[in-house]
Amino acid sequence: MSEVSKEAKPNGIGDWIYNIATDFATEQRGWFVLIFVLPFSLLFDVYYSFRAWAVRKFYSAPKLHEQRVKGIQAQIKQWREENKGTKLCTARGGWQSISPSLRPYKQKATGISIN
């Protein structure tokens, strides 16, 4: 057990459980990962794989593809007609990008909604 938990006097069952859990998670982190993290990671992957399958199966609309393409084309045509001199980018928020860095170009560019 760690030195912190030896010095701390538990005030109740909650403190005692907290001390045991934190000692186990830090001192026995390999077992913690094996017993808790890996199974939850597997459940997470299974859930999101099933969710992705369900979205593709039940909520995709291949019949609307042409309509969506025409909507994007109309937005680009409008951008050309306005001739603001801006660049194009998706209208998706910067916080939705894969990289954690800021996206300042999105504020200057014309956003095209692709959803």
Side-chain angles (χ1 to χ4, degrees):
M1 296 185 63
S2 71
E3 294 174 16
V4 174
S5 65
K6 288 179 184 176
E7 295 172 3
K9 306 256 187 205
N11 294 332
I13 190 83
D15 288 342
W16 180 77
I17 292 172
Y18 176 80
N19 287 337
I20 296 292
T22 55
D23 283 345
F24 180 73
T26 55
E27 299 295 325
Q28 306 296 330
R29 68 182 69 101
W31 287 107
F32 180 76
V33 167
L34 195 63
I35 294 170
F36 295 106
V37 176
L38 288 176
F40 281 117
S41 176
L42 177 65
L43 289 174
F44 180 83
D45 287 345
V46 168
Y47 169 75
Y48 276 100
S49 294
F50 176 75
R51 183 183 176 279
W53 172 82
V55 167
R56 277 193 313 273
K57 183 74 174 170
F58 301 113
Y59 295 108
S60 68
K63 295 175 185 174
L64 296 177
H65 178 75
E66 290 297 322
Q67 181 182 352
R68 291 175 179 165
V69 169
K70 288 179 182 177
I72 293 170
Q73 289 173 340
Q75 291 178 69
I76 293 174
K77 185 177 179 183
Q78 180 183 359
W79 169 76
R80 281 186 179 164
E81 290 171 356
E82 291 175 358
N83 196 14
K84 295 180 183 177
T86 60
K87 294 184 178 184
L88 290 176
C89 70
T90 62
R92 183 175 65 175
W95 61 271
Q96 291 176 314
S97 70
I98 294 173
S99 174
S101 62
L102 296 175
R103 303 282 181 236
Y105 68 88
K106 286 195 168 273
Q107 295 169 350
K108 299 175 188 173
T110 300
I112 301 295
S113 176
I114 58 172
N115 294 333

